[in-house]
Amino acid sequence: MNTPGNLFSANKIALELGWKRQAVQRMLAHVAPDGKIVSSGNETAAWHFESLTEIIRKGLLTAYPRRGFRSVYDLLNAVPAVWPCPLPISAVQSTFVDRAYKLRDALTLPLQRQHLISSGELTQLGLKEFQKAFGYSIGGKQWRRLFDRTVSRDGGCENFLRVEIFLDSAAFQRSRPTPAVAAKLHLHRCLDEIISNLENKSAPTLADREWIFTEAFRHFEKLLSENEDRREQKHIKKSLVKYLFCTVPRISKTEFAMRRAFEINLQKWRVKGQPSTGWLDMRPLKSGNFRTPDFAEDKKKIGDLSISLGGNESLAYRKLRRAGKLSQGFIEHFHYDVRRAKSYVPKSIREEITPRVNMCLPRWRSEREEKAKGPYIPGDHSDYAPGDYFTGDDVTWNHSFFYYDERGQLHIERGECLVLVDRRSNYIIDFVLIAGKYNSRHIRSLISKVHDKHGLPRKGWKFERGVWDARL
């Protein structure tokens, strides 16, 4: 019998109200717990019903009659309803079990964070995990359906290790045939040997499907010739579809789909003159694209001209086509409409020529850029400390100004600035501004200024070659 003395955790209250656990915890943040209970193997805070906030109490009083309980305590003490799996996991086909394991991996992280992030963030996380587990993407609506189905089947137990709750509904649609149907299926036992010779019934190839349907149609035509009764012929077709669906279920997801595939392929098989091979899917033979021609010379021309045009592959492609310098086979193979896409270059061509163009561009631009893009030795500052070495550099300002020298002559120049920096920390120790071009006298003046203000470096100076190094 339920008594008012029972204690209930925030997670249990949120579950019965259909609220987020964090929302209930925030409402109870300023309410002292009445005790502790053990939930899922962990000790957690709990409250009496009378200690809950008014909003929570009203929610529970509204929820228990709607849920079909006699009192609030019946609602809060109810054991979570565990979803019963229609079939034992051992009776489910391996393909559905494998998919269930993948779906469990894809939903593990979203299920752990469902109360910590918003609905939009949860969907984005779920889609990313699904792509990682299955190798293809689905829509947000479909992912939400899978997520809600899993949470509903769990029933609040938070036992997300159960593989059964991740199974697709189609896994439970494989019903056993009735005795009357089983008797009809016995007519098609001659196909057992053919199906048993399949390498993998769970993943039949296109050739396997063609072979199965061909033999089934020959068997079907033979039975029709032996039974002229139209009603009996209809039963034969129905039993043959049932037999194929039960023995090779991976051909179609449902029995209805199997029936439709049987009808369509039977008509196709009859129209093609009952051939032995090549009637199920003619696209591989009709495509004509068995391999891409070799256009190495054309690609080299496009790449060379792209380099001379500063990396503009679209312009090089357009110029060569207009000048008629590309081979006729290349022009016929790749469609080009300058009115719709003037800068279009086939994706396969871009992917092949772009690395070589990018590699050659620095050398085409200047020797300095080629040297900058080439190999270099990274600086290692681990063998000295701040204050050990000082270094200097100069900068020329972008803005011009005018001044008069000692002889009264007017000069209009861009000013320069010299700075002395601690090599280890890059801290600017001091600087000097120059009206015009700097010389050795300015460098010597800056070194003396730093010496008087901070002293000399402990180990020495690191200057570039030229006028800076000459001042030492």
Side-chain angles (χ1 to χ4, degrees):
M1 179 124 181
N2 298 315
T3 63
N6 287 338
L7 295 172
F8 309 105
S9 66
N11 187 42
K12 177 64 174 176
I13 296 169
L15 177 65
E16 300 302 338
L17 288 174
W19 299 354
K20 284 192 173 184
R21 174 174 53 84
Q22 286 77 7
V24 176
Q25 288 177 334
R26 283 195 297 270
M27 295 179 185
L28 298 174
H30 302 291
V31 180
D34 298 316
K36 292 188 175 182
I37 61 174
V38 177
S39 176
S40 300
N42 299 316
E43 198 175 54
T44 183
W47 292 263
H48 293 302
F49 173 75
E50 292 77 10
S51 302
L52 301 175
T53 62
E54 184 178 358
I55 296 177
I56 297 177
R57 290 201 306 270
K58 284 184 177 179
L60 291 171
L61 291 172
T62 305
Y64 84 82
R66 187 179 69 247
R67 299 273 303 278
F69 291 93
R70 292 180 298 175
S71 67
V72 172
Y73 302 104
D74 289 343
L75 172 67
L76 293 175
N77 285 301
V79 177
V82 180
W83 176 75
C85 184
L87 291 175
I89 195 69
S90 58
V92 179
Q93 293 181 25
S94 60
T95 52
F96 290 103
V97 176
D98 294 341
R99 178 176 169 80
Y101 275 109
K102 285 185 178 181
L103 185 59
R104 187 179 70 174
D105 295 340
L107 293 179
T108 296
L109 198 56
L111 287 169
Q112 292 174 354
R113 299 185 182 178
Q114 59 177 319
H115 302 300
L116 302 177
I117 57 179
S118 65
S119 177
E121 293 173 336
L122 182 66
T123 302
Q124 292 300 321
L125 175 63
L127 293 175
K128 183 179 178 181
E129 292 295 313
F130 190 94
Q131 170 79 28
K132 188 188 301 183
F134 285 88
Y136 62 88
S137 59
I138 59 174
K141 187 175 181 180
Q142 184 179 358
W143 180 87
R144 176 57 67 175
R145 181 183 63 81
L146 295 174
F147 182 84
D148 292 342
R149 184 189 70 184
T150 304
V151 173
S152 175
R153 287 179 176 180
D154 177 67
C157 299
E158 295 191 2
N159 182 14
F160 298 117
L161 294 178
R162 292 178 60 210
V163 183
E164 296 91 327
I165 63 176
F166 299 95
L167 287 168
D168 290 338
S169 300
F172 315 121
Q173 296 178 0
R174 311 303 188 204
S175 57
R176 279 190 168 186
T178 60
V181 176
K184 293 284 185 182
L185 296 182
H186 188 71
L187 288 172
H188 315 299
R189 290 303 174 190
C190 58
L191 299 175
D192 286 351
E193 184 178 357
I194 296 171
I195 295 175
S196 63
N197 289 329
L198 294 176
E199 293 184 5
N200 188 1
K201 286 200 297 183
S202 62
T205 63
L206 178 63
D208 292 338
R209 291 166 58 88
E210 185 177 295
W211 185 34
I212 293 170
F213 277 120
T214 299
E215 296 301 325
F217 294 154
R218 287 175 177 170
H219 169 66
F220 179 61
E221 292 290 340
K222 180 182 178 182
L223 291 178
L224 290 183
S225 62
E226 296 173 356
N227 296 273
E228 297 182 356
D229 186 3
R230 297 290 296 274
R231 182 177 298 179
E232 185 65 24
Q233 291 179 353
K234 188 178 294 185
H235 288 315
I236 291 173
K237 179 187 290 187
K238 185 177 181 180
S239 62
L240 180 55
V241 170
K242 186 78 173 179
Y243 169 82
L244 292 175
F245 181 67
C246 292
T247 53
V248 196
R250 287 300 295 166
I251 292 182
S252 299
K253 288 186 176 181
T254 63
E255 189 171 349
F256 174 80
M258 182 70 217
R259 190 181 312 119
R260 182 173 177 80
F262 186 91
E263 292 285 355
I264 294 174
N265 291 323
L266 177 61
Q267 296 299 325
K268 189 186 300 184
W269 181 74
R270 286 172 173 171
V271 169
K272 294 292 182 180
Q274 303 182 4
S276 58
T277 59
W279 60 270
L280 190 61
D281 191 353
M282 300 294 292
R283 287 175 296 178
L285 298 176
K286 290 183 177 180
S287 66
N289 297 322
F290 298 105
R291 74 176 206 175
T292 304
D294 184 16
F295 299 122
E297 188 64 30
D298 298 289
K299 294 173 184 176
K300 185 177 183 303
K301 290 180 182 178
I302 299 172
D304 293 343
L305 187 56
S306 299
I307 295 169
S308 64
L309 293 174
N312 195 333
E313 298 168 359
S314 299
L315 180 59
Y317 182 70
R318 188 163 61 248
K319 281 190 170 187
L320 289 171
R321 284 193 72 113
R322 286 178 177 175
K325 294 183 178 180
L326 299 176
S327 65
Q328 187 63 29
F330 183 92
I331 293 174
E332 293 175 356
H333 187 80
F334 294 105
H335 175 71
Y336 178 68
D337 188 352
V338 69
R339 293 171 297 179
R340 293 194 175 188
K342 182 179 69 173
S343 301
Y344 170 75
V345 177
K347 183 179 178 181
S348 59
I349 303 298
R350 279 197 190 274
E351 289 177 349
E352 189 160 343
I353 68 173
T354 297
R356 187 169 72 91
V357 172
N358 292 339
M359 179 183 67
C360 297
L361 276 181
R363 184 172 186 179
W364 175 82
R365 289 176 180 140
S366 66
E367 292 184 6
R368 183 175 180 276
E369 184 172 345
E370 180 188 8
K371 185 177 180 181
K373 296 288 186 180
Y376 63 92
I377 301 174
D380 183 11
H381 306 288
S382 61
D383 58 343
Y384 58 89
D388 287 348
Y389 292 100
F390 293 167
T391 185
D393 204 353
D394 62 274
V395 60
T396 302
W397 305 121
N398 294 326
H399 301 284
S400 302
F401 62 93
F402 70 91
Y403 69 95
Y404 294 91
D405 59 14
E406 296 86 351
R407 294 175 294 180
Q409 186 175 355
L410 176 65
H411 294 267
I412 300 177
E413 298 185 24
R414 293 162 59 190
E416 295 185 341
C417 177
L418 305 181
V419 292
L420 271 179
V421 183
D422 177 69
R423 184 173 175 84
R424 183 66 178 87
S425 63
N426 281 335
Y427 178 77
I428 298 177
I429 304 170
D430 215 328
F431 65 93
V432 60
L433 297 172
I434 302 109
K437 302 293 184 181
Y438 77 92
N439 54 38
S440 59
R441 187 171 71 252
H442 298 116
I443 297 173
R444 182 60 179 249
S445 174
L446 178 58
I447 292 175
S448 300
K449 184 179 177 182
V450 171
H451 168 267
D452 296 340
K453 192 174 180 180
H454 301 285
L456 295 173
R458 286 189 289 268
K459 293 186 178 181
W461 305 84
K462 293 284 188 180
F463 288 140
E464 62 185 22
R465 299 292 180 182
V467 64
W468 281 91
D469 198 23
R471 287 308 88 212
L472 295 180

